[in-house]
Amino acid sequence: MKNNSLNALCLLTLLSGSAMAEVTNGSFENWTSGSPDSWTTIDSGLSISQEGSIVKSGSSAAAITVNTGTQSSTDFRQSVALVSGQTYNFSTWVYHTEGGMKARLYVNGYQGYSNENLLNQWQQISYTYTATATGNIDVGLRFYDATGFDGSEIVYVDDFQPATADNGGGNSCANTEATLALTTDGYASETSWTLKTSSGTTVASSSTLANNTTYNENFCLTDGDYTFTISDSYGDGICCQFGNGSYALTSGGSTLASGSTFTSSDSTNFTIGSGGGDNGGGTGAGNYYDSITTQTGYTLKTALHNLINNHTTRGYSAIWTFYSSNALDTYYEKDGTILDIYSENPNGSDPYNFTKVSNQCGSYSGEGDCYNREHSFPRSWFGGDHEPMNSDIHHIFATDGKVNSVRSSYPYGEVASASYTSSNGSKLGSASSSLGYSGTVFEPIDEFKGDLARAYFYMATRYQDQISSWQSISSYGDAVLDGSTTAVFEPWVISMLLSWHANDPVSQKELDRNDAAHTHQGNRNPFVDHPEYVSKIWN
């Protein structure tokens, strides 16, 4: 194991393997004659002042007063130099005060919007850009009036990345990059956290936090063992009685530690590098299935139930944090937007894209407005907001809010005649006569049918000690469940799920999600790791 002293660790701007673009004064620490150095207010509808109280990082932010509803007069930018073929991750944090104004990220063109309905809290807008030529592009923001705009509104802006370090230090990490995303509740003064090495050396810590605020802290870690601990002095955690706090420590697309609901403290041990063996941090199943040997049939199902039972409940709000690191499109367009199974087009451009965090639902009126948390196994089938089912990440997927609403609590199935078709071809309509079920069903596209089938096999196994009692809770649940603890599903459902499982095999996307879920809540979906278990149980 390498030496884990504090001198071997460095704070950095996390660039996810991308090249460096030099956004100057991205933290708005430097001002001359009341204007932020290097930034240009190119339009007359804006006025800028230095803000020292509402700050995301450092000691100051930019308070941007928008005085016009004319969108062509609301740009705030600077020019940065890029290298052809290099990829750059641009992001900034905005803070809305009234809700009548939204910000749009500008990266050589107009990109994603902020959510103007998230008031009095910081939110991030981000966009990944690959340079097609060496030269300069403009980056910055444009402000758009929204419903309720009264002619003048202040929006605070801070931490525009990637930026040149204010202290003149370097921005590279020769070891392993990691990021902590922490959202506080309404009593942030009770919250503190530490990141320590195995020898007890403190890598980083914080105890001065603002209420209902999201923080991003970035680290450069040498190989070795670490412990992340979050504490609440009152003993009621950070969710969900007095807000929807949550945290996630991530690295290289894997979640090292995450959660929201705890009492006085929550500690997670993890290993960076190859020295620590399997800890669930995206490193695979390891010896997870050593107890599974020659079992078959429902005996195998019970053995798997005993293996995956009693996972750690992280809370419903922690799903947002899980999505921000582990529900991103790094498989199709590879653009880092939210991978929404009801809008993703696996064979071409998506009809629309969601930016993580800033496009969370929220209200919606049509497709493309926001993304939310789809219980593939509807919660009305198990009686509502009951844990641990309600926050079990293995069956909850990021989806378009409108399409999620259309799906409602209808069973999955195969559609003969569609009454609604989403932008990517997901359908709601009357069931095909060959299905063996007569009624309304929702059919996802073929690309995700296997994913959902394996999520259902997981639910049948993880909750086999409870699921027989769910049959009578909902009429749609009754159509799917047979009231047993063994087969669990009606014959038509088993036949369909077996077909979906066979025709859409396990993908790398599922394997990565399973690793992240293991870290998130402490158990795995056996049918992703071992697809053969499906036929051994439900053949």
Side-chain angles (χ1 to χ4, degrees):
M1 183 180 298
K2 296 180 181 178
N3 179 21
N4 289 320
S5 68
L6 185 58
N7 291 332
L9 303 162
C10 61
L11 292 177
L12 75 157
T13 300
L14 182 61
L15 298 178
S16 303
S18 299
M20 172 58 69
E22 295 185 357
V23 176
T24 306
N25 195 25
S27 59
F28 301 100
E29 300 300 294
N30 303 314
W31 294 71
T32 303
S33 301
S35 296
D37 294 353
S38 303
W39 290 96
T40 300
T41 306
I42 67 173
D43 293 315
S44 59
L46 303 180
S47 60
I48 317 296
S49 61
Q50 189 171 8
E51 168 63 28
S53 298
I54 300 176
V55 222
K56 176 64 178 64
S57 63
S59 59
S60 69
I64 300 180
T65 302
V66 186
N67 295 304
T68 177
T70 303
Q71 295 168 355
S72 61
S73 299
T74 58
D75 280 31
F76 176 69
R77 302 187 197 170
Q78 70 168 266
S79 179
V80 299
L82 306 183
V83 177
S84 178
Q86 297 296 309
T87 298
Y88 302 85
N89 294 331
F90 291 96
S91 69
T92 192
W93 293 81
V94 298
Y95 185 108
H96 290 295
T97 57
E98 295 181 41
M101 181 61 56
K102 56 187 174 182
R104 191 174 191 183
L105 189 63
Y106 189 92
V107 180
N108 202 37
Y110 299 106
Q111 312 303 341
Y113 292 94
S114 64
N115 182 348
E116 71 276 15
N117 296 312
L118 293 178
L119 300 183
N120 302 315
Q121 59 182 293
W122 288 102
Q123 60 175 289
Q124 189 178 36
I125 321 173
S126 60
Y127 182 74
T128 300
Y129 178 79
T130 300
T132 57
T134 298
N136 288 7
I137 64 167
D138 279 355
V139 299
L141 290 165
R142 170 172 280 193
F143 297 89
Y144 292 75
D145 56 293
T147 302
F149 180 59
D150 59 7
S152 181
E153 182 167 331
I154 296 176
V155 180
Y156 299 102
V157 178
D158 202 359
D159 199 20
F160 206 113
Q161 297 291 343
T164 305
D166 291 329
N167 60 9
N171 294 315
S172 63
C173 173
N175 299 299
T176 299
E177 301 167 346
T179 295
L180 171 66
L182 168 66
T183 300
T184 59
D185 64 4
Y187 288 87
S189 61
E190 301 169 358
T191 303
S192 62
W193 61 265
T194 61
L195 176 61
K196 294 184 177 182
T197 67
S198 58
S199 62
T201 301
T202 298
V203 176
S205 64
S206 181
S207 58
T208 307
L209 303 169
N211 296 342
N212 301 309
T213 301
T214 298
Y215 295 89
N216 270 14
E217 299 286 346
N218 306 303
F219 318 108
C220 181
L221 306 179
T222 58
D223 289 357
D225 298 320
Y226 296 85
T227 300
F228 177 81
T229 302
I230 186 168
S231 302
D232 183 89
S233 60
Y234 192 77
D236 60 354
I238 58 176
C239 185
C240 300
Q241 187 174 359
F242 300 107
N244 293 312
S246 63
Y247 70 91
L249 181 64
T250 60
S251 177
S254 297
T255 301
L256 305 174
S258 65
S260 58
T261 55
F262 57 92
T263 53
S264 296
S265 67
D266 196 11
S267 293
T268 304
N269 299 320
F270 63 92
T271 298
I272 295 294
S274 59
D278 179 40
N279 58 66
T283 57
N287 59 359
Y288 191 81
Y289 297 99
D290 282 359
S291 63
I292 307 302
T293 54
T294 60
Q295 301 97 322
T296 59
Y298 298 134
T299 301
L300 170 59
K301 182 165 170 282
T302 297
L304 292 172
H305 165 77
N306 293 334
L307 183 63
I308 65 177
N309 195 17
N310 297 321
H311 71 262
T312 301
T313 301
R314 293 300 187 185
Y316 191 51
S317 65
I319 295 172
W320 289 130
T321 306
F322 180 88
Y323 285 169
S324 69
S325 299
N326 303 297
L328 304 179
D329 185 355
T330 57
Y331 307 94
Y332 301 103
E333 285 77 26
K334 301 180 180 180
D335 57 6
T337 60
I338 290 293
L339 207 169
D340 163 18
I341 64 173
Y342 293 165
S343 73
E344 173 62 46
N345 176 11
N347 300 312
S349 299
D350 293 338
Y352 47 81
N353 290 303
F354 294 125
T355 301
K356 65 179 183 180
V357 181
S358 60
N359 288 145
Q360 292 174 187
C361 292
S363 59
Y364 52 84
S365 58
E367 283 192 50
D369 287 347
C370 60
Y371 70 95
N372 63 7
R373 297 160 288 189
E374 161 72 303
H375 291 77
S376 63
F377 193 100
R379 55 182 167 186
S380 63
W381 294 7
F382 52 75
D385 299 339
H386 298 313
E387 295 293 355
M389 298 80 72
N390 187 51
S391 63
D392 191 332
I393 201 66
H394 283 295
H395 80 110
I396 305 175
F397 296 87
T399 64
D400 177 275
K402 173 63 177 180
V403 186
N404 186 349
S405 175
V406 169
R407 186 264 164 129
S408 185
S409 297
Y410 292 113
Y412 285 130
E414 295 170 358
V415 170
S417 177
S419 58
Y420 178 92
T421 303
S422 77
S423 297
N424 82 333
S426 300
K427 303 173 185 177
L428 180 77
S430 55
S432 170
S433 59
S434 62
L435 192 62
Y437 170 73
S438 177
T440 300
V441 295
F442 184 89
E443 182 176 2
I445 63 172
D446 292 347
E447 182 74 11
F448 303 109
K449 286 178 176 176
D451 305 52
L452 295 169
R454 288 178 281 275
Y456 269 48
F457 291 132
Y458 165 86
M459 292 295 286
T461 304
R462 167 62 180 86
Y463 300 104
Q464 77 166 25
D465 56 338
Q466 306 175 51
I467 204 165
S468 63
S469 65
W470 297 352
Q471 184 188 31
S472 60
I473 295 176
S474 160
S475 59
Y476 294 128
D478 183 31
V480 170
L481 302 172
D482 73 346
S484 75
T485 62
T486 50
V488 173
F489 301 118
E490 294 285 358
W492 73 269
V493 179
I494 293 175
S495 177
M496 178 188 74
L497 294 179
L498 288 173
S499 174
W500 288 10
H501 170 68
N503 293 329
D504 175 28
V506 173
S507 63
Q508 187 62 49
K509 154 178 57 67
E510 281 185 89
L511 293 170
D512 294 343
R513 193 181 198 275
N514 202 21
D515 286 346
H518 186 185
T519 299
H520 176 72
Q521 64 183 42
N523 71 344
R524 304 181 68 85
N525 183 340
F527 306 104
V528 172
D529 292 321
H530 289 276
E532 72 276 10
Y533 288 168
V534 171
S535 61
K536 287 185 176 182
I537 297 171
W538 282 281
N539 188 354

